[in-house]
Amino acid sequence: MSITDELQVTIKQMVQPGKGILAADESQPTIAKRFAPINVESTEENRRAYRALLFTAPGIEEYISGVIEFEETLAQTADDGTPLPELLARRGIVPGIKVDKGKGPLALSSGDFITFGLDGLAERLQRYKSQGARFAKWREVYEISDHNPSSVGISANAEMLARYAAVCQEQGFVPIVEPEVLIDGDHSLLRCSEVTEAVQKEIFHALHRHHVVLEQIVLKPNMVLPGKEHSKRASAEEIAEATIRVLRRCVPAAVPSINFLSGGMTPEESTANLNAMNAAFPHEPWLLSFSYGRALQQPVLQAWRGKAENIAIAQQALLKRARLNGVAQRGEYDSRMELED
Ligand code: 13P
């Protein structure tokens, strides 16, 4: 199969109405942070057991089309010895891999970040492909302050995302392009909207310069929200309207799917906001869906608490959130559904 055909098969499987992506790609420090409140030590075996719990949850393939994994997980197996990526593939879920190596300060640009990991990326992708991965994820992070992100921060991050996406497509991996404007701070919804627009515009210029085929990427952006410390909350309808306005200005119709990150919203908020977009704007050119980490996993971790006897209820908690987000992708969610099992 040609690389183009390979990318097309993958994107078609990833982008399906009523389905989204599970982000289960926490790095070692991040998963340790998620395990700490439930008193689970981040050992290799505990991480394996937890990811196996997620990937074997009955019924999730109805609502989850792809899972983003961390490098370690690609080599781990379920209790019966099946490699975890193979287990997903057998269920019709596309295995993916986080390929960036995390962020650090952007030199000489106070308050801006940059993400590392381009060196040797093509070779790593070849290895990941032999382990079953077919799409990749790379996250750039933008913190809002009075002076950030700066214009050099915005252009340097766009360049990284575009170079990553180009390497991925050359190697037959669908790139998830993830620019995350953080929810931290006391900025207004308007400020988030201006920053998100500037960030996304620059990214699409860079993707164009680097010959990235837009039909074969997934955009994973933040929703447009007021900062966590801002004095005024916004309704799901306001968030939906502000987010769609920015996306319309920035994202070409060639992009098949926009899968939001949850970025610190509660599970219920992230479902309600996604639903508000699909309910009020049902005719956008892109599928509007989810690629949630915390918003899908928080209730699962709470139910599991590291105990084998809790696996079944933890899996039910994942199925419930996956289902409600699948319903929100169709714009048919109602908060009363939270009360059902
Ligand atoms: P959250 O949904 O928890 O923001 O995680 C998504 C993700 O993949 C961040 O890179």
Side-chain angles (χ1 to χ4, degrees):
M1 206 182 340
S2 73
I3 292 276
T4 307
D5 289 349
E6 198 181 338
L7 290 168
Q8 202 49 40
V9 169
T10 303
I11 196 90
K12 211 171 150 218
Q13 204 181 339
M14 290 172 73
V15 180
Q16 298 182 50
K19 293 189 184 186
I21 292 168
L22 165 64
D25 59 330
E26 297 81 4
S27 62
Q28 308 306 36
T30 305
I31 195 73
K33 222 161 57 185
R34 303 279 184 267
F35 281 178
I38 55 163
N39 290 320
V40 174
E41 202 189 332
S42 178
T43 61
E44 190 189 342
E45 172 50 24
N46 285 342
R47 294 191 294 270
R48 186 205 65 80
Y50 176 60
R51 265 72 184 245
L53 174 165
L54 295 175
F55 302 175
T56 57
I60 57 164
E61 66 276 11
E62 263 191 77
Y63 312 105
I64 302 288
S65 60
V67 172
I68 315 171
E69 295 173 74
F70 186 65
E71 192 174 28
E72 176 187 69
T73 318
L74 286 186
Q76 290 178 324
T77 57
D79 296 349
D80 68 358
T82 313
L84 290 176
E86 190 182 321
L87 193 138
L88 291 171
R90 276 193 208 158
R91 307 182 71 186
I93 299 173
V94 191
I97 172 77
K98 165 202 175 78
V99 298
D100 69 70
K101 291 190 173 288
K103 69 174 181 358
L106 180 62
L108 299 184
S109 195
S110 175
D112 289 323
F113 297 107
I114 195 78
T115 296
F116 305 105
L118 274 185
D119 287 352
L121 178 58
E123 294 71 27
R124 281 200 285 137
L125 286 171
Q126 285 160 14
R127 196 173 72 240
Y128 299 147
K129 190 180 264 188
S130 72
Q131 295 176 297
R134 290 167 52 202
F135 71 90
K137 186 200 93 170
W138 181 291
R139 171 176 177 254
E140 293 290 335
V141 181
Y142 308 80
E143 193 167 76
I144 299 185
S145 75
D146 289 348
H147 312 286
N148 300 100
S150 71
S151 67
V152 72
I154 289 174
S155 61
N157 279 280
E159 193 67 13
M160 291 302 271
L161 277 171
R163 288 184 60 196
Y164 140 80
V167 175
C168 283
Q169 289 193 338
E170 196 167 77
Q171 296 299 327
F173 277 71
V174 167
I176 295 188
V177 172
E178 179 179 6
E180 176 171 5
V181 177
L182 294 174
I183 197 173
D184 304 329
D186 62 1
H187 53 269
S188 64
L189 178 137
L190 181 62
R191 174 91 172 114
C192 177
S193 166
E194 287 166 357
V195 170
T196 304
E197 183 174 335
V199 160
Q200 291 186 4
K201 281 216 170 102
E202 193 77 16
I203 287 167
F204 281 95
H205 282 301
L207 290 170
H208 172 70
R209 277 201 309 277
H210 285 269
H211 317 296
V212 172
V213 179
L214 296 185
E215 286 83 353
Q216 295 170 335
I217 72 164
V218 169
L219 179 68
K220 173 166 174 166
N222 54 286
M223 294 184 193
V224 173
L225 305 163
K228 225 169 30 191
E229 319 298 336
H230 189 66
S231 49
K232 197 171 155 274
R233 307 312 310 149
S235 67
E237 289 67 31
E238 287 168 326
I239 291 165
E241 202 181 314
T243 304
I244 295 291
R245 183 181 306 123
V246 167
L247 294 173
R248 283 181 179 172
R249 289 177 176 180
C250 302
V251 187
V255 172
S257 191
I258 298 176
N259 292 56
F260 295 97
L261 57 93
S262 63
M265 294 183 282
T266 65
E268 294 78 10
E269 275 167 0
S270 46
T271 305
N273 293 345
L274 177 63
N275 185 70
M277 278 184 243
N278 282 303
F281 303 96
H283 304 301
E284 297 307 300
W286 338 271
L287 190 83
L288 293 164
S289 189
F290 59 93
S291 174
Y292 295 157
R294 280 163 286 177
L296 283 167
Q297 293 185 56
Q298 220 168 284
V300 186
L301 288 163
Q302 283 303 324
W304 176 52
R305 302 190 157 269
K307 297 197 166 61
E309 63 267 29
N310 293 338
I311 288 177
I313 53 160
Q315 291 181 324
Q316 280 164 23
L318 177 63
L319 179 61
K320 176 175 176 178
R321 288 261 57 91
R323 180 169 46 79
L324 293 181
N325 284 305
V327 172
Q329 194 294 310
R330 298 183 186 275
E332 294 165 0
Y333 165 82
D334 184 308
S335 60
R336 280 170 296 193
M337 293 175 182
E338 295 289 346
L339 305 172
E340 299 162 10
D341 264 343

